[in-house]
Amino acid sequence: MNIMDFNVKKLAADAGTFLSRAVQFTEEKLGQAEKTELDAHLENLLSKAECTKVWTEKIMKQTEVLLQPNPNARIEEFVYEKLDRKAPSRINNPELLGQYMIDAGTEFGPGTAYGNALIKCGETQKRIGTADRELIQTSALNFLTPLRNFIEGDYKTIAKERKLLQNKRLDLDAAKTRLKKAKAAETKSSQLNSARPEGDNIMVNFSYMLNFLHVKWLKSEQELRITQSEFDRQAEITRLLLEGISSTHAHHLRCLNDFVEAQMTYYAQCYQYMLDLQKQLGSFPSNYVSNNNQTSGTPVPYTLSNTIGPSAVASTGSLVITCPPNLSDLKDSSSTRKARVLYDYDAANSTELSLLADEVITVFSVVGMDSDWLMGERGNQKGKVPITYLELLN
């Protein structure tokens, strides 16, 4: 019974507090009550926290779109995450394309130029798909997870304490309003008492009313001191939490660096895979008869003055690279020139010379040699080198 009485009293007190806050909030909106303003520093911290939350959500959602463009796949991953279960592994787009290319090349015949090229391209696409999978996993762990932890953890705590601060402010302003009304009523009663109306009973009644209002004023004043203390304490708690936003920014900066490093690794891997693929495709004959017995080689115009980059063009039939003018002149003469190696190259057989990027070798032409190759010499080592990996030096 005592516990029930206590619960009823607590429920009544909570209902009274809620009603008091609702009245205070409504009067503030109508301009009929004063509002305690937060200090400028706290307001700036609140604004910074809200701004951080908004932009973190936007960055997080767009990063998820970047890493997984398929919205159905994102929804499925979200459901599995909420169920605390691991999402089933699925083949990604580069891997699927690679598998199609390998299957097509196998059916056309690995012995044909087109079939062999398709198989090599398919294997490269599969490696790119594996790199893409690693990028998604690394980015999710090192970038998306910390952002999500802030939104679902730290910011929820900040929002909870901010709501408590708002309630304490309403309690404080409601106490101020009650004290103001009690003082006004006591002043008015004092004025009426000073008029000295006739009759002892009337005087007793006025004195009693004055004493009652004075007690109510003292009670309101004590309530104001309590609510002011609670408001100040809650403001300090909220301020300490909000000052942690700067540490959050520093942590997110480290996570951003990890994300950039993951992207850099991914694109570097893809670039190396494509360089290797270009090297393999470049080892095909310059012109060959395609599967439908039609020659489809198309020269690639050279637009740079001295170097050939990795952007060679491969048609469905063949890959033909046109030499830059200075290399063409070298092939027509018997002179030797110094050349800088642009990319690493592994010799396919004993007639070729392996190369390291940025090393300088001596090159010269040999009569009857394929148009895509020169003879290279490094000390006592000598062998064929592909011209697409060289930059002649003046």
Side-chain angles (χ1 to χ4, degrees), residues 234-255:
Q234 185 59 39
E236 181 64 17
I237 293 174
T238 307
R239 182 185 63 80
L240 291 175
L241 281 174
L242 291 172
E243 286 178 347
I245 291 294
S246 297
S247 299
T248 299
H249 284 189
H251 178 53
H252 287 181
L253 174 59
R254 292 192 295 272
C255 297

PDB file of all heavy atoms in Angstrom, residues 234-255:
ATOM      1  N   GLN A 234      23.190  20.754 -15.318  1.00  0.00           N
ATOM      2  CA  GLN A 234      22.919  20.116 -16.609  1.00  0.00           C
ATOM      3  C   GLN A 234      23.620  20.858 -17.754  1.00  0.00           C
ATOM      4  O   GLN A 234      24.092  20.233 -18.715  1.00  0.00           O
ATOM      5  CB  GLN A 234      21.407  20.065 -16.869  1.00  0.00           C
ATOM      6  CG  GLN A 234      21.023  19.300 -18.129  1.00  0.00           C
ATOM      7  CD  GLN A 234      21.492  17.860 -18.098  1.00  0.00           C
ATOM      8  OE1 GLN A 234      21.442  17.205 -17.058  1.00  0.00           O
ATOM      9  NE2 GLN A 234      21.968  17.364 -19.231  1.00  0.00           N
ATOM     10  N   ALA A 235      23.715  22.164 -17.654  1.00  0.00           N
ATOM     11  CA  ALA A 235      24.417  22.943 -18.677  1.00  0.00           C
ATOM     12  C   ALA A 235      25.900  22.570 -18.714  1.00  0.00           C
ATOM     13  O   ALA A 235      26.511  22.484 -19.790  1.00  0.00           O
ATOM     14  CB  ALA A 235      24.248  24.437 -18.414  1.00  0.00           C
ATOM     15  N   GLU A 236      26.476  22.339 -17.528  1.00  0.00           N
ATOM     16  CA  GLU A 236      27.891  21.955 -17.472  1.00  0.00           C
ATOM     17  C   GLU A 236      28.106  20.554 -18.063  1.00  0.00           C
ATOM     18  O   GLU A 236      29.077  20.328 -18.802  1.00  0.00           O
ATOM     19  CB  GLU A 236      28.361  21.989 -16.018  1.00  0.00           C
ATOM     20  CG  GLU A 236      29.835  21.641 -15.813  1.00  0.00           C
ATOM     21  CD  GLU A 236      30.775  22.639 -16.456  1.00  0.00           C
ATOM     22  OE1 GLU A 236      30.318  23.766 -16.775  1.00  0.00           O
ATOM     23  OE2 GLU A 236      31.958  22.297 -16.639  1.00  0.00           O
ATOM     24  N   ILE A 237      27.186  19.624 -17.767  1.00  0.00           N
ATOM     25  CA  ILE A 237      27.298  18.268 -18.335  1.00  0.00           C
ATOM     26  C   ILE A 237      27.202  18.322 -19.854  1.00  0.00           C
ATOM     27  O   ILE A 237      27.993  17.696 -20.581  1.00  0.00           O
ATOM     28  CB  ILE A 237      26.188  17.365 -17.755  1.00  0.00           C
ATOM     29  CG1 ILE A 237      26.424  17.126 -16.261  1.00  0.00           C
ATOM     30  CG2 ILE A 237      26.131  16.035 -18.510  1.00  0.00           C
ATOM     31  CD1 ILE A 237      25.296  16.371 -15.584  1.00  0.00           C
ATOM     32  N   THR A 238      26.237  19.077 -20.338  1.00  0.00           N
ATOM     33  CA  THR A 238      26.055  19.198 -21.794  1.00  0.00           C
ATOM     34  C   THR A 238      27.265  19.856 -22.444  1.00  0.00           C
ATOM     35  O   THR A 238      27.708  19.450 -23.521  1.00  0.00           O
ATOM     36  CB  THR A 238      24.784  20.011 -22.096  1.00  0.00           C
ATOM     37  OG1 THR A 238      23.667  19.442 -21.402  1.00  0.00           O
ATOM     38  CG2 THR A 238      24.492  20.020 -23.587  1.00  0.00           C
ATOM     39  N   ARG A 239      27.811  20.866 -21.783  1.00  0.00           N
ATOM     40  CA  ARG A 239      28.977  21.569 -22.339  1.00  0.00           C
ATOM     41  C   ARG A 239      30.179  20.621 -22.451  1.00  0.00           C
ATOM     42  O   ARG A 239      30.883  20.621 -23.460  1.00  0.00           O
ATOM     43  CB  ARG A 239      29.330  22.765 -21.460  1.00  0.00           C
ATOM     44  CG  ARG A 239      30.500  23.600 -21.988  1.00  0.00           C
ATOM     45  CD  ARG A 239      30.883  24.693 -21.015  1.00  0.00           C
ATOM     46  NE  ARG A 239      31.359  24.146 -19.748  1.00  0.00           N
ATOM     47  CZ  ARG A 239      32.590  23.674 -19.571  1.00  0.00           C
ATOM     48  NH1 ARG A 239      33.466  23.659 -20.571  1.00  0.00           N
ATOM     49  NH2 ARG A 239      32.951  23.202 -18.394  1.00  0.00           N
ATOM     50  N   LEU A 240      30.401  19.810 -21.421  1.00  0.00           N
ATOM     51  CA  LEU A 240      31.531  18.872 -21.454  1.00  0.00           C
ATOM     52  C   LEU A 240      31.382  17.868 -22.594  1.00  0.00           C
ATOM     53  O   LEU A 240      32.363  17.525 -23.272  1.00  0.00           O
ATOM     54  CB  LEU A 240      31.639  18.144 -20.116  1.00  0.00           C
ATOM     55  CG  LEU A 240      32.077  19.003 -18.913  1.00  0.00           C
ATOM     56  CD1 LEU A 240      32.013  18.187 -17.632  1.00  0.00           C
ATOM     57  CD2 LEU A 240      33.487  19.550 -19.138  1.00  0.00           C
ATOM     58  N   LEU A 241      30.155  17.383 -22.797  1.00  0.00           N
ATOM     59  CA  LEU A 241      29.924  16.448 -23.907  1.00  0.00           C
ATOM     60  C   LEU A 241      30.151  17.123 -25.252  1.00  0.00           C
ATOM     61  O   LEU A 241      30.767  16.550 -26.156  1.00  0.00           O
ATOM     62  CB  LEU A 241      28.492  15.902 -23.836  1.00  0.00           C
ATOM     63  CG  LEU A 241      28.226  14.783 -22.835  1.00  0.00           C
ATOM     64  CD1 LEU A 241      26.738  14.459 -22.800  1.00  0.00           C
ATOM     65  CD2 LEU A 241      29.017  13.537 -23.197  1.00  0.00           C
ATOM     66  N   LEU A 242      29.659  18.347 -25.390  1.00  0.00           N
ATOM     67  CA  LEU A 242      29.777  19.047 -26.671  1.00  0.00           C
ATOM     68  C   LEU A 242      31.218  19.406 -26.994  1.00  0.00           C
ATOM     69  O   LEU A 242      31.608  19.450 -28.171  1.00  0.00           O
ATOM     70  CB  LEU A 242      28.922  20.316 -26.644  1.00  0.00           C
ATOM     71  CG  LEU A 242      27.414  20.094 -26.620  1.00  0.00           C
ATOM     72  CD1 LEU A 242      26.681  21.405 -26.391  1.00  0.00           C
ATOM     73  CD2 LEU A 242      26.949  19.449 -27.925  1.00  0.00           C
ATOM     74  N   GLU A 243      32.022  19.668 -25.981  1.00  0.00           N
ATOM     75  CA  GLU A 243      33.433  19.985 -26.244  1.00  0.00           C
ATOM     76  C   GLU A 243      34.188  18.781 -26.789  1.00  0.00           C
ATOM     77  O   GLU A 243      35.275  18.927 -27.362  1.00  0.00           O
ATOM     78  CB  GLU A 243      34.093  20.489 -24.955  1.00  0.00           C
ATOM     79  CG  GLU A 243      33.661  21.901 -24.587  1.00  0.00           C
ATOM     80  CD  GLU A 243      34.272  22.380 -23.284  1.00  0.00           C
ATOM     81  OE1 GLU A 243      34.829  21.538 -22.540  1.00  0.00           O
ATOM     82  OE2 GLU A 243      34.185  23.601 -23.002  1.00  0.00           O
ATOM     83  N   GLY A 244      33.599  17.580 -26.652  1.00  0.00           N
ATOM     84  CA  GLY A 244      34.206  16.392 -27.243  1.00  0.00           C
ATOM     85  C   GLY A 244      34.048  16.315 -28.751  1.00  0.00           C
ATOM     86  O   GLY A 244      34.646  15.443 -29.394  1.00  0.00           O
ATOM     87  N   ILE A 245      33.257  17.232 -29.346  1.00  0.00           N
ATOM     88  CA  ILE A 245      33.080  17.248 -30.806  1.00  0.00           C
ATOM     89  C   ILE A 245      34.412  17.498 -31.508  1.00  0.00           C
ATOM     90  O   ILE A 245      34.677  16.963 -32.584  1.00  0.00           O
ATOM     91  CB  ILE A 245      32.043  18.312 -31.207  1.00  0.00           C
ATOM     92  CG1 ILE A 245      30.644  17.880 -30.746  1.00  0.00           C
ATOM     93  CG2 ILE A 245      32.037  18.527 -32.712  1.00  0.00           C
ATOM     94  CD1 ILE A 245      30.122  16.652 -31.447  1.00  0.00           C
ATOM     95  N   SER A 246      35.267  18.308 -30.901  1.00  0.00           N
ATOM     96  CA  SER A 246      36.581  18.568 -31.509  1.00  0.00           C
ATOM     97  C   SER A 246      37.396  17.279 -31.590  1.00  0.00           C
ATOM     98  O   SER A 246      38.062  17.017 -32.596  1.00  0.00           O
ATOM     99  CB  SER A 246      37.338  19.617 -30.687  1.00  0.00           C
ATOM    100  OG  SER A 246      36.655  20.855 -30.693  1.00  0.00           O
ATOM    101  N   SER A 247      37.326  16.455 -30.547  1.00  0.00           N
ATOM    102  CA  SER A 247      38.007  15.156 -30.592  1.00  0.00           C
ATOM    103  C   SER A 247      37.381  14.250 -31.641  1.00  0.00           C
ATOM    104  O   SER A 247      38.081  13.474 -32.316  1.00  0.00           O
ATOM    105  CB  SER A 247      37.934  14.480 -29.217  1.00  0.00           C
ATOM    106  OG  SER A 247      38.580  15.264 -28.233  1.00  0.00           O
ATOM    107  N   THR A 248      36.063  14.360 -31.799  1.00  0.00           N
ATOM    108  CA  THR A 248      35.385  13.578 -32.844  1.00  0.00           C
ATOM    109  C   THR A 248      35.880  13.974 -34.220  1.00  0.00           C
ATOM    110  O   THR A 248      36.122  13.119 -35.079  1.00  0.00           O
ATOM    111  CB  THR A 248      33.862  13.794 -32.750  1.00  0.00           C
ATOM    112  OG1 THR A 248      33.397  13.354 -31.464  1.00  0.00           O
ATOM    113  CG2 THR A 248      33.143  13.033 -33.843  1.00  0.00           C
ATOM    114  N   HIS A 249      36.050  15.269 -34.452  1.00  0.00           N
ATOM    115  CA  HIS A 249      36.572  15.737 -35.739  1.00  0.00           C
ATOM    116  C   HIS A 249      37.977  15.184 -35.989  1.00  0.00           C
ATOM    117  O   HIS A 249      38.301  14.768 -37.112  1.00  0.00           O
ATOM    118  CB  HIS A 249      36.593  17.264 -35.771  1.00  0.00           C
ATOM    119  CG  HIS A 249      35.247  17.865 -35.968  1.00  0.00           C
ATOM    120  ND1 HIS A 249      35.048  19.203 -36.216  1.00  0.00           N
ATOM    121  CD2 HIS A 249      34.009  17.313 -35.964  1.00  0.00           C
ATOM    122  CE1 HIS A 249      33.769  19.457 -36.354  1.00  0.00           C
ATOM    123  NE2 HIS A 249      33.109  18.315 -36.191  1.00  0.00           N
ATOM    124  N   ALA A 250      38.808  15.183 -34.957  1.00  0.00           N
ATOM    125  CA  ALA A 250      40.177  14.655 -35.106  1.00  0.00           C
ATOM    126  C   ALA A 250      40.141  13.160 -35.431  1.00  0.00           C
ATOM    127  O   ALA A 250      40.911  12.676 -36.275  1.00  0.00           O
ATOM    128  CB  ALA A 250      40.976  14.915 -33.833  1.00  0.00           C
ATOM    129  N   HIS A 251      39.240  12.434 -34.767  1.00  0.00           N
ATOM    130  CA  HIS A 251      39.120  10.994 -35.034  1.00  0.00           C
ATOM    131  C   HIS A 251      38.615  10.740 -36.449  1.00  0.00           C
ATOM    132  O   HIS A 251      39.128   9.863 -37.166  1.00  0.00           O
ATOM    133  CB  HIS A 251      38.173  10.366 -34.025  1.00  0.00           C
ATOM    134  CG  HIS A 251      37.945   8.902 -34.236  1.00  0.00           C
ATOM    135  ND1 HIS A 251      38.975   7.996 -34.346  1.00  0.00           N
ATOM    136  CD2 HIS A 251      36.792   8.181 -34.364  1.00  0.00           C
ATOM    137  CE1 HIS A 251      38.478   6.776 -34.537  1.00  0.00           C
ATOM    138  NE2 HIS A 251      37.160   6.871 -34.551  1.00  0.00           N
ATOM    139  N   HIS A 252      37.620  11.515 -36.878  1.00  0.00           N
ATOM    140  CA  HIS A 252      37.089  11.358 -38.233  1.00  0.00           C
ATOM    141  C   HIS A 252      38.131  11.745 -39.281  1.00  0.00           C
ATOM    142  O   HIS A 252      38.113  11.199 -40.397  1.00  0.00           O
ATOM    143  CB  HIS A 252      35.823  12.202 -38.397  1.00  0.00           C
ATOM    144  CG  HIS A 252      34.651  11.637 -37.675  1.00  0.00           C
ATOM    145  ND1 HIS A 252      33.396  12.215 -37.703  1.00  0.00           N
ATOM    146  CD2 HIS A 252      34.533  10.537 -36.883  1.00  0.00           C
ATOM    147  CE1 HIS A 252      32.564  11.487 -36.977  1.00  0.00           C
ATOM    148  NE2 HIS A 252      33.227  10.474 -36.461  1.00  0.00           N
ATOM    149  N   LEU A 253      39.021  12.657 -38.944  1.00  0.00           N
ATOM    150  CA  LEU A 253      40.103  13.021 -39.875  1.00  0.00           C
ATOM    151  C   LEU A 253      41.031  11.823 -40.087  1.00  0.00           C
ATOM    152  O   LEU A 253      41.442  11.542 -41.224  1.00  0.00           O
ATOM    153  CB  LEU A 253      40.880  14.214 -39.326  1.00  0.00           C
ATOM    154  CG  LEU A 253      42.130  14.630 -40.124  1.00  0.00           C
ATOM    155  CD1 LEU A 253      41.761  14.985 -41.564  1.00  0.00           C
ATOM    156  CD2 LEU A 253      42.836  15.797 -39.446  1.00  0.00           C
ATOM    157  N   ARG A 254      41.364  11.116 -39.010  1.00  0.00           N
ATOM    158  CA  ARG A 254      42.200   9.916 -39.151  1.00  0.00           C
ATOM    159  C   ARG A 254      41.477   8.852 -39.983  1.00  0.00           C
ATOM    160  O   ARG A 254      42.098   8.178 -40.820  1.00  0.00           O
ATOM    161  CB  ARG A 254      42.563   9.359 -37.776  1.00  0.00           C
ATOM    162  CG  ARG A 254      43.494  10.262 -36.966  1.00  0.00           C
ATOM    163  CD  ARG A 254      44.048   9.550 -35.745  1.00  0.00           C
ATOM    164  NE  ARG A 254      43.007   9.216 -34.781  1.00  0.00           N
ATOM    165  CZ  ARG A 254      42.602  10.027 -33.814  1.00  0.00           C
ATOM    166  NH1 ARG A 254      43.161  11.219 -33.658  1.00  0.00           N
ATOM    167  NH2 ARG A 254      41.651   9.647 -32.972  1.00  0.00           N
ATOM    168  N   CYS A 255      40.186   8.718 -39.757  1.00  0.00           N
ATOM    169  CA  CYS A 255      39.411   7.754 -40.541  1.00  0.00           C
ATOM    170  C   CYS A 255      39.360   8.156 -42.012  1.00  0.00           C
ATOM    171  O   CYS A 255      39.396   7.300 -42.906  1.00  0.00           O
ATOM    172  CB  CYS A 255      37.989   7.649 -39.981  1.00  0.00           C
ATOM    173  SG  CYS A 255      37.909   7.027 -38.287  1.00  0.00           S
TER     174      CYS A 255
END
